[in-house]
Amino acid sequence: MSQDAQLPYDPAALPASREPAAVVAAAYAEEVADLLYGQLVEVVREREPALERVLQGEADDLPAALRPRALQVLGIWLHLLGIAEQNAAMRRRRQLETEKGPEVLRGSFLLALEDARAAGVGPDVVRDLLRNLRVRPTVTAHPTEAKRVTVLERHRRIYRLLVDLESPRWTPRERQALQQGVRNEIALLWMTGELRLEKPTVEQEVYWALHFFNETLFEQVPLLHERLERALQQVWPGEDFEVPSVLQFGCWVGGDRDGNPYVTNDVTRWTLNQNRLNALGRYQRRLADLVRTLSVSERSVPVPAEFRRALERRLAESGVAEQITQRNPGEVFRQFLSCALRKLDAAIASAQAGVTEPPAGAFRGADELLADLRLLEQAVASACGAAIAQAYVRPVRREVELFRFSTVRLDVRENTTRLGEALGALWRLRTGRLDADPPDPKSDEWLAWLQGELARPRFEELRLQALPAGAQETVGLFRLVAEMREQVDREAFGAFILSMTHSAADVLGAYLLAKEGGLFPDQHGTERCVLPIVPLFETIDDLRRAPAIMRELLAVPLVRRSLRDQGGVQEVMIGYSDSNKDGGFFTANWELYTAQMRLTRLGRELGVPIGFFHGRGGSVSRGGAPTGRAIAAQPAGSINGWFRLTEQGEVVSYKYANRGTAGYQLELLASAVLQHALVSEREAALKPVGEYDEALEAISGASFAAYRRFVEHPDLLAYVQQASPLEEIALLNLGSRPARRFGARSLGDLRAIPWVFAWSQNGHNVPGWFGVGAGLETFLQVRGERGERLLRRMFQDSRLFRLIIDEVEKTLVKVDLDIAREFAALVPDARARDEVFGMVEEEYHRTVRAVLRVTGASSVAERFPRYVRQYMRRQPTVREASRLQVAYLREYRGASGEAAREALQGLLLSFNCVATGLGWTG
């Protein structure tokens, strides 16, 4: 950095960490940030010198024409800070492992298994768990990612250059060239538009999701399984463990049509084909690499007879045996792989042509390729040694096992309203009452009709043309699933997610449509469904009703038969976003926890394990929390080796954009699930929790009441529309999904993502803390000193309570009442403004007081110096962008024509900038 280019914050004023290793990492992060800042300043000086002072927080009198560029500069700086911190964190983990060994790394398989062994867990217990262990992060297309793929690629190149710069081997000249490379990438960022000029299509979102598989995940997921195998051998040497496909990715992109009219059956079909082509293209490259690597002559090694016979068959089937053998004379493994490559090429050509049924001479599915790779692996191990087979063939075989011919397991999601419309049309057709309304979905008559239709033999296929267009599309979705499971891959689909589930009849309705779609494979369509149907419980009321709903559903023989065929686990999805919007942060967390406890007990009672799919977002208010601690805080026994969660928007790029970070995040997730499944019930048995549960219930009740008073204030909707960019968010081209499900204009139908986005952009951050102070203060007022002692004990012993308090504290750090007051000034009605903002301000101070009373700390989040340090680096820049956003909101709302378009461009840039500084957009 040039001598006169000062950082926009004072590193010496930032809170220090107590950990020695963290001190070193913080110093390195400052060093890297200093480097990146210096390169950015040089780019700014060269291209727009007047903007250098913006980086110093001096944008008050900036000419209007320069404000959009100013926001871009601020946004680039925030992104560069994030890259520096990721690089420093990865360096710190490598340093710890080098100095103290992998067993000290939090979130590692080795540490989790060592803890399990210390708790008395034996290898047989681990073997049983591994047979059923399934961890599935699921990439979703919620509109929470502001960065384009082009920008992500540019960030990755900067990250790689920083990794290169860590090496001490460079000469001064070489180091200067690397630094110049960093500067060039920053200059290209300056010239690359951050802002999407048009709303992205679903197709673009599909490419965005696949980007992470091509960059990191194809490589890192198999490596994760290797690390698990090594850890098992290290903890229990000499024991035999078979590690199946423990972690596989799901995806909603191209399959989630809940409130998104742009996801049609044609789009889903196209998505499946792109997912297939992505996997096949990867395997094509991997097999070509093996052809180059396995230059083994049959004159040098003994080739197994079984492999020779298989090779002869493959050569005969190829039709070009002579050509293959002449190209690679005596190199039997290359000949075998050449045959496989021809079949793979044919499969790719048919997929590119849009042909779903593979032609003769092509692999018909992943199982055929896997059979070839297993045979090759065994032969190479026999001829060349196990080390060669494990190093070169096994990773390819593991990739095909994990990603098959579909890259991901695509979930399809739809809501009960749309399914109800299709079921109503089917009822009219089947009863002949074409002009009548179907029975009330809550009535016994409706339930009886559903059960009757499910039991009725299916002698002929339903004619879609007999249904209205909307119903045709819905039934057609299930037909598409049945068709593509057969033609692409049996695991091309994960599950059907039914959002807004309110009753067992809702789920049985999905079963009936699956039956009409051909997903019941028995002759008469009455025995079982091959596609898992997963209810999604989102609101507080639905979470409370979930156990009764599932009890009724699991009493249906068809459902039980279907579950046995699907692996024996009934998956249930729980929504963090809508429950928070409905009941506030504390109540949502408590109700999610209790729902899981009650459902887990129900599953044990009925002999049907319940597996949970956690619908988390990026922000704290939508379930975002440190992975390991969030999993550890789940109820004992609730993870039956089955754990799914959504990875949304900016979370995906944060976790999976770089290889080292991706590997760490994957192991952190899988090891936390493994550890919880192995030891949670043993730990719970040592801690009486009845008193804690009673206290949590009492706090939740008071918190819920305070939160509902706030959201039911008659002026709240007008306040949030005027004191935040709620309405303008729909204009930011983040994702293909509309901000409202059905186009109504109320808080009730507003999606949780824009709700959170709006409150975070305006500095209030209400969804992450409001009501917590009221709940704690009420409890303390009622229970007095005894209650305070109890809360202090809970803070030490209850993982759930500790997680809530910790995440509230972190959110309070990002509440900026000064900025919030500037946004509130946009509300023209002084009475409404003062009332609503007064409620926010009062509850904020109440929450700070109550949290400090529980933790015994002197300031908020003093236990998280690294977290506070990272945010304090960003705060001056975020504040600058927020003030520009207020100015743009005023201009945009009072302008028209070209002036409005210019204000909108600046407004959208400010959204991106603030979201980057906070670390989330929704």
Side-chain angles (χ1 to χ4, degrees), residues 40 84 279 489 638 736 757 808 830 840 895:
L40 174 60
D489 194 278
S638 64
S736 64
F757 194 121
V808 166
V840 171

Side-chain angles (χ1 to χ4, degrees), residues 233-505:
Q233 286 304 319
Q234 189 168 338
V235 176
W236 288 284
E239 293 283 349
D240 242 358
F241 294 96
E242 182 180 347
V243 176
S245 297
V246 167
L247 188 145
Q248 296 173 314
F249 268 83
C251 190
W252 282 11
V253 186
D256 179 13
R257 61 204 61 225
D258 177 20
N260 191 343
Y262 307 112
V263 179
T264 63
N265 292 344
D266 287 341
V267 166
T268 299
R269 183 186 298 276
W270 178 88
T271 299
L272 286 162
N273 203 41
Q274 292 303 310
N275 293 346
R276 173 170 60 163
L277 281 168
N278 201 61
L280 294 178
R282 169 71 178 187
Y283 305 150
Q284 186 183 51
R285 295 187 294 276
R286 296 289 272 151
L287 291 189
D289 288 342
L290 280 178
V291 169
R292 288 187 287 272
T293 301
L294 295 178
S295 56
V296 178
S297 171
E298 62 183 342
R299 292 184 293 275
S300 303
V301 297
V303 178
E306 180 188 356
F307 181 78
R308 283 191 181 278
R309 290 191 294 271
L311 174 59
E312 289 170 5
R313 290 194 300 272
R314 301 299 191 280
L315 287 168
E317 292 166 359
S318 73
V320 289
E322 186 176 351
Q323 178 184 332
I324 292 173
T325 53
Q326 286 180 354
R327 186 189 309 129
N328 302 293
E331 295 174 336
V332 290
F333 299 137
R334 279 181 163 176
Q335 292 173 15
F336 187 86
L337 284 162
S338 295
C339 294
L341 262 172
R342 286 183 61 83
K343 295 177 72 173
L344 195 57
D345 290 344
I348 291 172
S350 67
Q352 288 173 334
V355 178
T356 53
E357 189 69 28
F363 282 118
R364 301 187 63 81
D367 292 329
E368 288 187 14
L369 177 56
L370 277 170
D372 278 5
L373 289 170
R374 289 188 183 111
L375 182 62
L376 178 67
E377 185 178 355
Q378 291 165 6
V380 171
S382 174
C384 309
I388 298 295
Q390 289 174 8
Y392 297 109
V393 184
R394 191 178 185 183
V396 182
R397 186 258 296 169
R398 179 68 89 177
E399 278 189 31
V400 180
E401 284 178 343
L402 292 163
F403 299 103
R404 297 187 64 82
F405 276 15
S406 56
T407 304
V408 294
R409 280 72 184 155
L410 184 69
D411 290 326
V412 287
R413 182 171 75 141
E414 187 54 281
N415 59 66
T416 53
T417 301
R418 297 292 185 223
L419 258 63
E421 291 169 358
L423 289 164
L426 184 63
W427 178 86
R428 293 184 185 93
L429 183 65
R430 289 280 161 76
T431 63
R433 301 166 66 184
L434 301 181
D435 296 324
D437 290 331
D440 188 317
K442 298 177 182 178
S443 67
D444 291 340
E445 182 185 356
W446 180 250
L447 180 61
W449 179 77
L450 290 173
Q451 292 173 328
E453 287 295 306
L454 285 167
R456 186 171 67 87
R458 187 170 179 264
F459 295 114
E460 61 182 22
E461 188 175 279
L462 172 68
R463 288 179 59 252
L464 287 184
Q465 294 78 2
L467 298 172
Q472 287 185 37
E473 180 78 8
T474 301
V475 178
L477 167 63
F478 290 95
R479 290 198 178 171
L480 174 66
V481 173
E483 173 193 344
M484 300 300 273
R485 284 181 84 253
E486 294 295 322
Q487 295 179 353
V488 173
D489 194 278
R490 70 171 186 272
E491 295 185 34
F493 288 95
F496 177 83
I497 312 293
L498 181 60
S499 65
M500 296 192 283
T501 299
H502 304 304
S503 68

Side-chain angles (χ1 to χ4, degrees), residues 790-807:
L790 173 59
L791 292 186
R792 292 277 181 93
R793 283 205 318 275
M794 289 169 60
F795 181 67
Q796 296 300 322
D797 296 342
S798 168
R799 284 178 174 161
L800 174 64
F801 185 64
R802 178 63 170 260
L803 184 68
I804 291 172
I805 296 299
D806 286 354
E807 296 312 306

Side-chain angles (χ1 to χ4, degrees), residues 7-8 87 175 198 367 430 485 585 590 606 695 724 766:
L7 290 165
N87 175 252
R175 182 169 296 278
E198 296 177 353
D367 292 329
R430 289 280 161 76
R485 284 181 84 253
F585 185 70
W590 173 239
L606 300 179
S724 82
V766 158

Side-chain angles (χ1 to χ4, degrees), residues 24-104:
V24 174
Y28 178 72
E30 296 298 345
E31 179 185 333
V32 175
D34 188 74
L35 166 68
L36 293 176
Y37 184 77
Q39 300 300 325
L40 174 60
V41 168
E42 292 299 324
V43 170
V44 170
R45 283 176 180 167
E46 179 183 330
R47 298 185 176 275
E48 198 69 70
L51 292 179
E52 183 179 349
R53 61 194 182 91
V54 171
L55 286 168
Q56 302 294 335
E58 300 172 6
D60 292 341
D61 58 345
L62 195 69
L66 285 179
R67 286 185 303 178
R69 271 302 195 188
L71 284 164
Q72 187 183 9
V73 170
L74 295 174
I76 290 173
W77 168 234
L78 290 169
H79 284 310
L80 293 175
L81 264 179
I83 293 169
E85 287 161 356
Q86 274 207 356
N87 175 252
M90 197 65 223
R91 179 181 166 119
R92 175 173 174 264
R93 288 192 288 270
R94 289 197 299 266
Q95 185 178 345
L96 272 174
E97 184 172 354
T98 300
E99 293 174 355
K100 299 183 179 180
E103 61 275 7
V104 305

Side-chain angles (χ1 to χ4, degrees), residues 573-622:
M573 186 171 183
I574 50 176
Y576 287 69
S577 305
D578 285 282
S579 56
N580 180 289
K581 179 170 164 281
D582 190 27
F585 185 70
F586 197 104
T587 298
N589 276 274
W590 173 239
E591 293 295 342
L592 287 160
Y593 186 87
T594 55
Q596 289 178 79
M597 280 198 303
R598 293 165 64 202
L599 286 166
T600 298
R601 292 191 198 115
L602 176 68
R604 288 180 177 170
E605 176 191 336
L606 300 179
V608 180
I610 304 289
F612 292 101
F613 184 177
H614 299 260
R616 296 179 178 272
S619 62
V620 169
S621 56
R622 298 184 56 237

